[in-house]
Amino acid sequence: MRLLDYLFGLVALIGLGVTSWWAVYQSPNTPVNLQARLQQNASAALEAGGFDWASVEMRGQRAVLHGQAPSADAVQAAAETVLTSNGAGGVIMGGVTIVESAVDAAPPVSPYIWRAIKTPEGSYVLTGYVPSRGTRLKLVEQATAQAAGASVEDRMQLAAGAPGANWQGMARMVLEDLGQLDTGEASLRDTRVRLSGLSMEGPIRARLTAEIANIVAPFKGEPLIRGPALWTAQHQPGVLILSGKVASEAEREEITGIARQYYGGEVRDEMQVAGEPHEGWMTGVRAGLPQFSRFTRGEMAFDPAETGFSVQGEASPSTLQYLQQDLSGLDGPYPVTVFADSVGMAVDEINGINFRADPLAACQQAFDAVMETSDVSFDPGTAAITRQSGPALDKLTRVAGLCAPGLEIEIGGHADATGDRDSVAGLSVDRAEAVKEYMVSTGFDAARLTVIGYGPDQPVQSNDTEEGLAKNRPISFKVRERSE
């Protein structure tokens, strides 16, 4: 009997050893394995929840959140996601026990833009920035109720930087107003509030126009609510559609000719020759359609009864600037309203450049790449930038916006040696100043720009050849650390 007891004791001892070895080295709840499992599940839960700003570091069963959070409620939601990423958990069951925050506030976005679009089918598209997840949810819920069964597409992003006052209340108000239009767009750009669109009902147009125009400070309302247009040009994906009525075949041919000259894609002519002529309206078409054809999206309309000429949409900074210049010169019986926003231009030349690894070198490399393929030119003997330089200026301004805030950008003016030295030097300064003024007009920080005129002293190429003289007229860019 004693021998049997010894045998059972030996088996039990071996079993205890095996169990201890498994618990320490093989069990999923060992400290090492448990932490790895929690890390993997918590990271996956953040990714699935759309918390692309956040990362998590597991320290045993304690989680630490890192990142730049767009809002306080985003931090709370991310923490709750991590806390429940491994079930109810707890110490015994091997889950996350506590979530600590090592999160920084994200830098504010500027300009702070939010937009809601109502399509002719009654669907809604919500884009731009919102200050919190709660605000985002309320706007989606409101749009869904207004859509009454039509689709609602949510493209909104959380971001810091919303202006003070009741931003959410203003967004909800203008969204409600948008619901009363047949089709249109509502937007907040910082404290600027716009409502534009179409309503077949005159009383609705009048009431909403008055409501938006009388919005209280700090917000400023800008309404553009029209009835049926006599004529429109509208951007759709890959096509510019011309529709409405014109007074003659000659007008129709001229309009389609302008559109095809300036628009790079298909021009679809749906215009009808019908109705009475409207004196002076073709002057507005000639002034506005060339630049509008270069928009990325939007509508140009002519409503002789109420709103006159109106332009809405998005375009590159230079296109929008040239459009406003051309339309400002109109002297006729019709009002002109431009409700358009500038958008950054795509810069293929800088694809692959990492602006974070070495900010100064990357910024300089990006400027050099754009200047290799683009040119900023001036009218002969002047500092007037030619309109052909618009795309180059848009690319250069886009590059400047991607450069780190701690960098200073020198704009250098160069001129050839074919004139009086003092006048050549002065002209080179004026040309550099003209480029600076353009960049500042798009919203770039003037404090980050310096100007210098090199005249003929630092030529890009030799002045001894005609080709060299031509290449020494561009603007140049040099990047350095900002001096405090």
Side-chain angles (χ1 to χ4, degrees):
M1 193 67 179
R2 183 176 295 274
L3 181 60
L4 189 60
D5 290 340
Y6 285 147
L7 183 60
F8 278 128
L10 180 60
V11 170
L13 185 61
I14 293 172
L16 179 62
V18 171
T19 301
S20 300
W21 172 84
W22 182 86
V24 173
Y25 296 104
Q26 300 297 319
S27 169
N29 282 340
T30 64
V32 173
N33 290 344
L34 176 61
Q35 178 171 305
R37 175 171 59 83
L38 296 180
Q39 178 77 55
Q40 181 179 1
N41 291 346
S43 298
L46 286 175
E47 182 178 357
F51 299 97
D52 54 355
W53 56 268
S55 63
V56 62
E57 175 193 2
M58 294 304 307
R59 299 174 181 173
Q61 290 178 257
R62 181 165 54 95
V64 181
L65 273 179
H66 298 278
Q68 292 186 325
S71 64
D73 70 340
V75 178
Q76 181 178 350
E80 292 172 355
T81 298
V82 170
L83 190 62
T84 59
S85 60
N86 288 270
V91 175
I92 297 176
M93 299 303 294
V96 178
T97 57
I98 191 171
V99 180
E100 299 177 2
S101 175
V103 170
D104 298 321
V109 171
S110 180
Y112 202 87
I113 301 173
W114 172 84
R115 179 178 292 114
I117 300 169
K118 182 181 180 182
T119 70
E121 296 76 28
S123 298
Y124 285 78
V125 180
L126 307 178
T127 66
Y129 303 115
V130 289
S132 70
R133 296 171 69 89
T135 299
R136 180 178 188 171
L137 179 61
K138 289 183 181 298
L139 291 172
V140 171
E141 288 176 346
Q142 181 176 334
T144 301
Q146 293 178 194
S151 65
V152 174
E153 185 176 352
D154 175 15
R155 301 180 191 166
M156 295 180 288
Q157 304 175 50
L158 293 182
N166 187 6
W167 187 94
Q168 179 185 151
M170 186 58 62
R172 297 191 67 179
M173 185 205 81
V174 75
L175 178 59
E176 180 180 352
D177 288 347
L178 177 64
Q180 300 176 58
L181 300 179
D182 299 317
T183 181
E185 181 176 305
S187 68
L188 274 68
R189 184 183 179 97
D190 294 329
T191 56
R192 187 200 71 192
V193 182
R194 280 182 176 172
L195 179 66
S196 61
L198 171 66
S199 173
M200 304 300 288
E201 303 293 332
I204 292 178
R205 296 198 297 271
R207 177 171 53 79
L208 293 180
T209 296
E211 179 177 309
I212 298 299
N214 292 299
I215 284 175
V216 297
F219 295 99
K220 178 183 178 182
E222 299 178 356
L224 177 58
I225 304 168
R226 63 170 179 81
L230 181 69
W231 173 87
T232 62
Q234 188 176 58
H235 283 278
Q236 295 291 345
V239 61
L240 179 63
I241 302 174
L242 307 173
S243 61
K245 298 178 180 180
V246 295
S248 67
E249 190 63 38
E251 286 185 353
R252 179 177 186 170
E253 291 179 0
E254 183 177 357
I255 293 171
T256 55
I258 294 172
R260 286 173 178 144
Q261 179 181 353
Y262 292 97
Y263 182 66
E266 175 192 356
V267 174
R268 188 180 303 165
D269 176 11
E270 298 180 357
M271 295 180 289
Q272 302 174 14
V273 178
E276 298 294 324
H278 292 273
E279 184 178 354
W281 91 283
M282 281 298 296
T283 303
V285 173
R286 296 182 190 112
L289 187 56
Q291 297 302 327
F292 175 75
S293 296
R294 297 187 170 111
F295 271 43
T296 56
R297 73 173 188 91
E299 178 186 80
M300 178 178 177
F302 175 62
D303 173 15
E306 295 183 16
T307 53
F309 284 100
S310 60
V311 180
Q312 305 170 60
E314 294 179 341
S316 69
S318 64
T319 297
L320 186 55
Q321 186 175 112
Y322 298 152
L323 173 76
Q324 291 170 330
Q325 290 174 359
D326 293 342
L327 291 178
S328 66
L330 289 181
D331 183 17
Y334 307 111
V336 176
T337 305
V338 177
F339 268 17
D341 294 318
S342 63
V343 292
M345 190 172 186
V347 187
D348 295 336
E349 293 91 336
I350 66 173
N351 289 343
I353 295 179
N354 185 345
F355 283 83
R356 294 184 179 181
D358 186 342
L360 192 151
C363 181
Q364 187 65 64
Q365 181 186 357
F367 276 116
D368 293 343
V370 171
M371 293 303 292
E372 278 290 319
T373 61
S374 308
D375 187 24
V376 179
S377 60
F378 301 85
D379 290 337
T382 76
I385 304 173
T386 65
R387 287 198 170 186
Q388 289 79 7
S389 302
L393 290 172
D394 292 335
K395 290 181 178 183
L396 293 166
T397 303
R398 172 67 174 160
V399 166
L402 293 172
C403 293
L407 297 177
E408 181 180 87
I409 300 166
E410 176 196 285
I411 306 172
H414 301 263
D416 60 48
T418 58
D420 174 77
R421 183 177 183 82
D422 290 339
S423 63
V424 168
L427 179 60
S428 67
V429 173
D430 292 342
R431 287 177 168 176
E433 284 285 358
V435 174
K436 176 183 176 180
E437 288 175 9
Y438 175 84
M439 295 176 67
V440 172
S441 73
T442 68
F444 193 77
D445 184 5
R448 295 181 58 194
L449 300 173
T450 61
V451 166
I452 186 168
Y454 289 104
D457 294 334
Q458 293 189 19
V460 179
Q461 299 286 332
S462 169
N463 280 322
D464 296 334
T465 66
E466 191 172 317
E467 180 184 3
L469 286 172
K471 289 187 176 181
N472 288 333
R473 290 190 173 94
I475 293 294
S476 65
F477 290 84
K478 293 182 181 178
V479 185
R480 59 176 66 92
E481 298 285 348
R482 292 182 73 175
S483 55
E484 299 298 335

